[in-house]
Amino acid sequence: MAGLTLRSVYKNYGDVPVIKGVDLDIQHGEFVVFVGPSGCGKSTLLRMIAGLEDITGGEVRIGDRVVNDVEPRDRGVAMVFQSYALYPHMSVYDNVGFGLKLANTPKDVRDRKIREAAKVLQMEHLLGRKPAQLSGGQRQRVAIGRAIVRQPDVFLFDEPLSNLDAALRVDMRMELARLHHDLDATMIYVTHDQVEAMTLADKIVVLNGGIVQQVGSPLELYNAPANLFVAGFIGSPKMNLLTGQFDMVDNQLQVVADGVSFRLPKAPGTLARGGAVTLGIRPHEFALDAAGPVKGIVQLVEQLGNETVVRVRLDNASEITAVLPGQETLKVGSTVSLGFDPGHVHLFGADGNRISP
Ligand code: ADP
Ligand code: MG
């Protein structure tokens, strides 16, 4: 098993830059998730690691070997795609073992590896079936089995669960987490789904426009997003972002954003007076509070049983989402007052970057 390093990695298609200088260190055994909106370059980056795309600039290392010019099959990686691409006329057993057969692996070794992989994936009872006799989740397990028998140093997954329905995705997510634990393998996983990223990753790499926005554990990204992009991308429902200004009043930082006015318990050091600021408040931070600084008209109420999602229109017509614990009976069209802990807000400067803390 091996770690992986990217140094100033660039990719252009013709003269269109798609990956714009990525630096990344992945430790042996880590589960790393590349997440970002469609078209941000996740697959391209993964395919460059796999050797399926040329590297325009920079260096990719797997273990202590630079692999820029190494053939895909010699890199010690195995890739699992969204489309399983199984051979329809072959049994599961033969599909899983096909790569080994091509590599002239002796029959007994092949048999042992196929059965081991089937055991890890809990699909020993499926080995005799054809792909058409499998569910979507079972087919994806066969595709993963094909990767496992190659005993790669690094597993690469490109949106492997996108073709599955929601319930099955949750099951497969847990299976992948277990597989990662059982195999003690380095895994890089691409998804546009921030919930998948949050639940699977040791380390999340948020990409936008071919540039890494932030690298960190799920909670680091949630608790301290580096910029407005990460703030809006990680967390569900999305963080509310209100735009406004701040000033010092009685030695306290006063923020006025979209008509919401409050004072921060302690002022971040780096602010210039009167500057523009974006205020970020997670929906779960709100609570009903008659004296709270957020007042508006209820637009929409969603009862989820364990919590109540409320959409509120503020005086200046901007809207926020609040998630209140439990079952709140709020009427559409009624007035509501919300409070929040000023110590739990996020502030971003005019450049979109987080203002410490
Ligand atoms: P993601 O996987 O994050 O959705 P991709 O890595 O597939 O994004 O694509 C990143 C960008 O590169 C997109 O704008 C896409 O249109 C472009 N792109 C991908 N592959 C090619 C290609 N073979 N030729 C030209 N442009 C490409
Ligand atoms: Mg993709």
PDB file of all heavy atoms in Angstrom, residues 336-351:
ATOM      1  N   VAL A 336     -42.381  35.616  12.400  1.00  0.00           N
ATOM      2  CA  VAL A 336     -41.571  34.778  13.282  1.00  0.00           C
ATOM      3  C   VAL A 336     -40.312  35.547  13.678  1.00  0.00           C
ATOM      4  O   VAL A 336     -39.807  36.366  12.897  1.00  0.00           O
ATOM      5  CB  VAL A 336     -41.239  33.434  12.586  1.00  0.00           C
ATOM      6  CG1 VAL A 336     -40.273  33.628  11.433  1.00  0.00           C
ATOM      7  CG2 VAL A 336     -40.683  32.411  13.563  1.00  0.00           C
ATOM      8  N   SER A 337     -39.843  35.314  14.906  1.00  0.00           N
ATOM      9  CA  SER A 337     -38.588  35.916  15.368  1.00  0.00           C
ATOM     10  C   SER A 337     -37.621  34.802  15.726  1.00  0.00           C
ATOM     11  O   SER A 337     -37.983  33.875  16.454  1.00  0.00           O
ATOM     12  CB  SER A 337     -38.826  36.760  16.617  1.00  0.00           C
ATOM     13  OG  SER A 337     -39.521  37.913  16.292  1.00  0.00           O
ATOM     14  N   LEU A 338     -36.422  34.921  15.212  1.00  0.00           N
ATOM     15  CA  LEU A 338     -35.418  33.886  15.435  1.00  0.00           C
ATOM     16  C   LEU A 338     -34.166  34.499  16.051  1.00  0.00           C
ATOM     17  O   LEU A 338     -33.780  35.624  15.735  1.00  0.00           O
ATOM     18  CB  LEU A 338     -35.037  33.225  14.103  1.00  0.00           C
ATOM     19  CG  LEU A 338     -36.166  32.543  13.331  1.00  0.00           C
ATOM     20  CD1 LEU A 338     -35.728  32.249  11.907  1.00  0.00           C
ATOM     21  CD2 LEU A 338     -36.604  31.261  14.039  1.00  0.00           C
ATOM     22  N   GLY A 339     -33.542  33.720  16.898  1.00  0.00           N
ATOM     23  CA  GLY A 339     -32.259  34.119  17.453  1.00  0.00           C
ATOM     24  C   GLY A 339     -31.204  33.096  17.097  1.00  0.00           C
ATOM     25  O   GLY A 339     -31.512  32.039  16.538  1.00  0.00           O
ATOM     26  N   PHE A 340     -29.943  33.435  17.364  1.00  0.00           N
ATOM     27  CA  PHE A 340     -28.838  32.493  17.123  1.00  0.00           C
ATOM     28  C   PHE A 340     -27.703  32.893  18.049  1.00  0.00           C
ATOM     29  O   PHE A 340     -27.674  34.009  18.581  1.00  0.00           O
ATOM     30  CB  PHE A 340     -28.390  32.525  15.658  1.00  0.00           C
ATOM     31  CG  PHE A 340     -28.053  33.901  15.162  1.00  0.00           C
ATOM     32  CD1 PHE A 340     -26.778  34.427  15.327  1.00  0.00           C
ATOM     33  CD2 PHE A 340     -29.022  34.681  14.533  1.00  0.00           C
ATOM     34  CE1 PHE A 340     -26.483  35.707  14.885  1.00  0.00           C
ATOM     35  CE2 PHE A 340     -28.732  35.956  14.090  1.00  0.00           C
ATOM     36  CZ  PHE A 340     -27.458  36.474  14.265  1.00  0.00           C
ATOM     37  N   ASP A 341     -26.776  31.979  18.237  1.00  0.00           N
ATOM     38  CA  ASP A 341     -25.613  32.257  19.080  1.00  0.00           C
ATOM     39  C   ASP A 341     -24.597  33.042  18.253  1.00  0.00           C
ATOM     40  O   ASP A 341     -24.042  32.502  17.291  1.00  0.00           O
ATOM     41  CB  ASP A 341     -25.027  30.926  19.554  1.00  0.00           C
ATOM     42  CG  ASP A 341     -23.810  31.117  20.439  1.00  0.00           C
ATOM     43  OD1 ASP A 341     -23.264  32.246  20.488  1.00  0.00           O
ATOM     44  OD2 ASP A 341     -23.400  30.124  21.063  1.00  0.00           O
ATOM     45  N   PRO A 342     -24.344  34.317  18.603  1.00  0.00           N
ATOM     46  CA  PRO A 342     -23.420  35.126  17.796  1.00  0.00           C
ATOM     47  C   PRO A 342     -22.009  34.527  17.744  1.00  0.00           C
ATOM     48  O   PRO A 342     -21.235  34.845  16.848  1.00  0.00           O
ATOM     49  CB  PRO A 342     -23.395  36.478  18.504  1.00  0.00           C
ATOM     50  CG  PRO A 342     -24.555  36.483  19.425  1.00  0.00           C
ATOM     51  CD  PRO A 342     -24.867  35.060  19.761  1.00  0.00           C
ATOM     52  N   GLY A 343     -21.709  33.649  18.693  1.00  0.00           N
ATOM     53  CA  GLY A 343     -20.400  32.988  18.673  1.00  0.00           C
ATOM     54  C   GLY A 343     -20.296  31.912  17.605  1.00  0.00           C
ATOM     55  O   GLY A 343     -19.210  31.414  17.317  1.00  0.00           O
ATOM     56  N   HIS A 344     -21.425  31.547  17.013  1.00  0.00           N
ATOM     57  CA  HIS A 344     -21.426  30.457  16.020  1.00  0.00           C
ATOM     58  C   HIS A 344     -21.625  30.938  14.589  1.00  0.00           C
ATOM     59  O   HIS A 344     -21.956  30.150  13.714  1.00  0.00           O
ATOM     60  CB  HIS A 344     -22.527  29.436  16.357  1.00  0.00           C
ATOM     61  CG  HIS A 344     -22.178  28.582  17.530  1.00  0.00           C
ATOM     62  ND1 HIS A 344     -22.955  27.551  17.964  1.00  0.00           N
ATOM     63  CD2 HIS A 344     -21.116  28.621  18.357  1.00  0.00           C
ATOM     64  CE1 HIS A 344     -22.397  26.984  19.032  1.00  0.00           C
ATOM     65  NE2 HIS A 344     -21.276  27.624  19.288  1.00  0.00           N
ATOM     66  N   VAL A 345     -21.489  32.235  14.351  1.00  0.00           N
ATOM     67  CA  VAL A 345     -21.664  32.709  12.978  1.00  0.00           C
ATOM     68  C   VAL A 345     -20.323  32.655  12.239  1.00  0.00           C
ATOM     69  O   VAL A 345     -19.261  32.542  12.844  1.00  0.00           O
ATOM     70  CB  VAL A 345     -22.216  34.156  12.920  1.00  0.00           C
ATOM     71  CG1 VAL A 345     -23.529  34.238  13.656  1.00  0.00           C
ATOM     72  CG2 VAL A 345     -21.198  35.144  13.453  1.00  0.00           C
ATOM     73  N   HIS A 346     -20.412  32.698  10.924  1.00  0.00           N
ATOM     74  CA  HIS A 346     -19.221  32.723  10.069  1.00  0.00           C
ATOM     75  C   HIS A 346     -19.177  34.084   9.385  1.00  0.00           C
ATOM     76  O   HIS A 346     -20.213  34.594   8.957  1.00  0.00           O
ATOM     77  CB  HIS A 346     -19.290  31.617   9.019  1.00  0.00           C
ATOM     78  CG  HIS A 346     -19.478  30.251   9.604  1.00  0.00           C
ATOM     79  ND1 HIS A 346     -18.431  29.374   9.808  1.00  0.00           N
ATOM     80  CD2 HIS A 346     -20.580  29.626  10.048  1.00  0.00           C
ATOM     81  CE1 HIS A 346     -18.893  28.266  10.353  1.00  0.00           C
ATOM     82  NE2 HIS A 346     -20.193  28.381  10.508  1.00  0.00           N
ATOM     83  N   LEU A 347     -17.979  34.649   9.290  1.00  0.00           N
ATOM     84  CA  LEU A 347     -17.847  35.946   8.609  1.00  0.00           C
ATOM     85  C   LEU A 347     -16.864  35.812   7.452  1.00  0.00           C
ATOM     86  O   LEU A 347     -15.804  35.190   7.587  1.00  0.00           O
ATOM     87  CB  LEU A 347     -17.321  37.007   9.579  1.00  0.00           C
ATOM     88  CG  LEU A 347     -18.278  37.483  10.672  1.00  0.00           C
ATOM     89  CD1 LEU A 347     -17.571  38.476  11.574  1.00  0.00           C
ATOM     90  CD2 LEU A 347     -19.533  38.106  10.062  1.00  0.00           C
ATOM     91  N   PHE A 348     -17.233  36.397   6.326  1.00  0.00           N
ATOM     92  CA  PHE A 348     -16.377  36.365   5.146  1.00  0.00           C
ATOM     93  C   PHE A 348     -16.183  37.790   4.652  1.00  0.00           C
ATOM     94  O   PHE A 348     -17.126  38.587   4.639  1.00  0.00           O
ATOM     95  CB  PHE A 348     -17.020  35.503   4.055  1.00  0.00           C
ATOM     96  CG  PHE A 348     -17.309  34.100   4.516  1.00  0.00           C
ATOM     97  CD1 PHE A 348     -18.534  33.785   5.078  1.00  0.00           C
ATOM     98  CD2 PHE A 348     -16.331  33.119   4.446  1.00  0.00           C
ATOM     99  CE1 PHE A 348     -18.806  32.508   5.545  1.00  0.00           C
ATOM    100  CE2 PHE A 348     -16.586  31.831   4.912  1.00  0.00           C
ATOM    101  CZ  PHE A 348     -17.825  31.522   5.463  1.00  0.00           C
ATOM    102  N   GLY A 349     -14.972  38.095   4.261  1.00  0.00           N
ATOM    103  CA  GLY A 349     -14.643  39.448   3.807  1.00  0.00           C
ATOM    104  C   GLY A 349     -15.056  39.673   2.365  1.00  0.00           C
ATOM    105  O   GLY A 349     -15.625  38.790   1.704  1.00  0.00           O
ATOM    106  N   ALA A 350     -14.749  40.870   1.866  1.00  0.00           N
ATOM    107  CA  ALA A 350     -15.147  41.250   0.510  1.00  0.00           C
ATOM    108  C   ALA A 350     -14.540  40.316  -0.536  1.00  0.00           C
ATOM    109  O   ALA A 350     -15.110  40.109  -1.612  1.00  0.00           O
ATOM    110  CB  ALA A 350     -14.728  42.681   0.237  1.00  0.00           C
ATOM    111  N   ASP A 351     -13.382  39.709  -0.228  1.00  0.00           N
ATOM    112  CA  ASP A 351     -12.748  38.779  -1.171  1.00  0.00           C
ATOM    113  C   ASP A 351     -13.356  37.376  -1.098  1.00  0.00           C
ATOM    114  O   ASP A 351     -12.934  36.470  -1.818  1.00  0.00           O
ATOM    115  CB  ASP A 351     -11.241  38.703  -0.905  1.00  0.00           C
ATOM    116  CG  ASP A 351     -10.916  38.260   0.517  1.00  0.00           C
ATOM    117  OD1 ASP A 351     -11.879  37.977   1.296  1.00  0.00           O
ATOM    118  OD2 ASP A 351      -9.732  38.188   0.854  1.00  0.00           O
TER     119      ASP A 351
END
